[in-house]
Amino acid sequence: DDLQNDFEVIQRQTLPHSIRYDIRLPEGKRANDLLNVCMRHSNILSFHETLPSMNEIFIEQVEHFNQQRHEKE
């Protein structure tokens, strides 16, 4: 398992004494899978799960719908 290959890194931010990652879990992966990968490479200072907003879900669904529509054409 590898952070870059198995998970979608949305943002990486270097801070004075740490590095912060915003990571999207792919379908079928759990937060524990991510933590297991990270703990093999570093110390975890904190972990916060962020759920998508209704707006993000709506945009994702519209993009998915449009993609399917274009594939049928």
Side-chain angles (χ1 to χ4, degrees):
D1 288 333
D2 184 18
L3 182 63
Q4 297 291 336
N5 294 326
D6 293 341
F7 301 92
E8 183 181 351
V9 177
I10 304 297
Q11 181 178 358
R12 180 182 188 272
Q13 181 181 11
T14 302
L15 303 171
H17 301 289
S18 62
I19 299 173
R20 175 193 165 140
Y21 284 93
D22 290 337
I23 299 169
R24 178 173 289 139
L25 295 178
E27 201 167 317
K29 293 281 187 180
R30 299 172 301 150
N32 282 346
D33 300 326
L34 173 61
L35 288 171
N36 285 332
V37 170
C38 292
M39 288 188 309
R40 283 184 275 177
H41 301 286
S42 63
N43 294 323
I44 307 299
L45 299 177
S46 67
F47 177 85
H48 303 277
E49 184 175 14
T50 305
L51 299 176
S53 68
M54 291 301 291
N55 188 51
E56 291 169 325
I57 293 170
F58 174 77
I59 290 170
E60 183 178 307
Q61 291 299 312
V62 169
E63 289 173 349
H64 180 71
F65 173 79
N66 287 336
Q67 181 182 11
Q68 285 184 331
R69 195 175 88 199
H70 288 296
E71 288 174 358
K72 291 180 181 178
E73 293 177 353

